[in-house]
Amino acid sequence: MVLSESDEKISNDLSIAESEQDLPSEVREKKLRGQLKTGYTTGTSAAAASKSALITFLTGKSVEKVQVTLPKGKVVQLKVAWTRMNEKSITSAVIKDAGDDPDVTHGAEICSTVESTSNKGEVKIIGGAGVGKVTKPGLGLLLGDAAINPIPMKMITEAIHEVLNLYPEVIKKQGLKVIISVPGGEEIAKKTDNPRLGILGGISILGTTGIVLPYSTASFAAAIRQSLDVGIALKADTFILTTGGRSEDFCKGLFGDTYVDHCYVQMGDFAGYSVKQCHDKRVKRVFIAGFIGKLTKIAMGVKQTHVRGSHVNMEFMAKLAETVGASEEVLKLILDANTARHVSEIIDAHNIKGFYDLICSNAASQLSNYSKNELSIEVIMFDFKGYVIGRFPKN
């Protein structure tokens, strides 16, 4: 994942309070007390492992901790999990610590192997087992290269040169190869968007600040932007933005082979942000697909559609039902309903026509505000079996 903006700026762009996310109760309490623990990125971990391995390579002595300079200049100290030596190379590992963030790479071994080469003066940093390779454009990395993003690459390089500056004669006599690897990285990557983005065979080495902010919206925003960038680089001008994996699967069943995989982007709760990004990147057309709950929230103008961040307004739903001719009896049932899904059961039981299309119409109108009415937006509502029950505009 290539991040071109700081975490702080992305969070501001989203205009979403992190407190609106669906946090476990114990985490939410920590957050309110300001006690959530930050962590370190895979980039910081790789830099620390590289520094440790090189120190041992040059001195023959392993170290328990190393200091790493983060992109903004702060110096942090990371623990080295282990160092292994053989005749030709040295490998050190740092355990990725994501703090209180539910990162899939938390606990992974981020390893760095240092070995000498005959290319005097050269320091070459490459990806090894468990680090993905780039197979699609749009990521800001060369095709075929390891998925080590520019800032982590810079951090690794600087960590290596901090050591080499203490031993200037070494690099005059030989070159160095530094191999970043992640045992089990290929399996971990299956839990990420890497396969869709064309990063195959492992995880990415990431990080813009070197620090993992617990439950940050920035990482989700970056994933949305990056998915769009990959699709655009592959000449896509239409994207299907879905609220999750289930609605994406239903869309693939609906559209068949019309759209390839990189046209699908899971926007989660960030519909407005995703539409704005599509507009700013000059996408021509988007489909918004989801179920009654989130699409109703979008139709209401809610910026953050997560269950913990907002609630469906039954008065709003009753007004829509009244617009399409629902009886007083139905309106009362809707006002007393528990959830949006409950409302759909009432609508279906009384065979109210046009209700779902009206929600989609209102959702499209709200989302147009994020694109200055310059983007073609179509909204599709599925029922929970995958049938299209609402659509705007109607085909």
Side-chain angles (χ1 to χ4, degrees), residues 102-266:
D103 190 322
V104 295
T105 62
H106 178 72
E109 290 182 339
I110 311 298
C111 303
S112 181
T113 300
V114 175
E115 58 186 46
S116 64
T117 70
S118 58
N119 298 323
K120 296 180 182 179
E122 178 188 68
V123 177
K124 187 173 184 179
I125 301 168
I126 64 173
V131 173
K133 288 192 178 297
V134 178
T135 66
K136 289 182 180 180
L139 295 169
L141 298 169
L142 296 176
L143 295 181
D145 275 6
I148 303 175
N149 282 12
I151 291 178
M153 182 66 80
K154 185 173 182 285
M155 290 180 65
I156 296 167
T157 301
E158 289 178 351
I160 290 167
H161 283 286
E162 284 178 8
V163 179
L164 290 178
N165 287 340
L166 301 175
Y167 301 90
E169 297 302 317
V170 171
I171 201 66
K172 296 178 181 179
K173 299 177 183 179
Q174 63 184 322
L176 293 174
K177 182 188 291 185
V178 180
I179 307 165
I180 308 300
S181 61
V182 182
E186 188 168 2
E187 286 301 311
I188 296 172
K190 293 176 182 178
K191 302 175 184 177
T192 72
D193 279 339
N194 276 14
R196 182 201 300 274
L197 297 173
I199 299 172
L200 304 181
I203 68 168
S204 306
I205 304 301
L206 304 173
T208 53
T209 64
I211 298 291
V212 174
L213 300 175
Y215 292 88
S216 172
T217 57
S219 59
F220 204 104
I224 291 169
R225 287 201 326 281
Q226 189 172 48
S227 294
L228 292 172
D229 287 341
V230 169
I232 290 167
L234 292 169
K235 309 302 182 185
D237 61 7
T238 299
F239 286 91
I240 299 92
L241 307 177
T242 66
T243 54
R246 196 174 179 193
S247 51
E248 179 179 303
D249 289 341
F250 290 160
C251 279
K252 287 180 176 178
L254 175 65
F255 292 124
D257 296 330
T258 305
Y259 299 104
V260 294
D261 194 53
H262 57 254
C263 293
Y264 290 86
V265 177
Q266 291 186 24

Side-chain angles (χ1 to χ4, degrees), residues 43-58:
T44 300
S45 304
S50 298
K51 190 170 186 178
S52 169
L54 183 56
I55 289 171
T56 305
F57 182 86
L58 297 177

Side-chain angles (χ1 to χ4, degrees), residues 66-132:
V66 292
Q67 290 186 335
V68 174
T69 304
L70 301 180
K72 292 185 178 181
K74 181 180 179 180
V75 177
V76 297
Q77 187 169 258
L78 275 72
K79 182 180 179 181
V80 179
W82 51 261
T83 297
R84 296 170 185 164
M85 314 176 203
N86 62 37
E87 294 180 1
K88 295 183 179 180
S89 65
I90 303 291
T91 300
S92 286
V94 169
I95 304 299
K96 163 67 184 293
D97 179 5
D100 282 324
D101 194 67
D103 190 322
V104 295
T105 62
H106 178 72
E109 290 182 339
I110 311 298
C111 303
S112 181
T113 300
V114 175
E115 58 186 46
S116 64
T117 70
S118 58
N119 298 323
K120 296 180 182 179
E122 178 188 68
V123 177
K124 187 173 184 179
I125 301 168
I126 64 173
V131 173

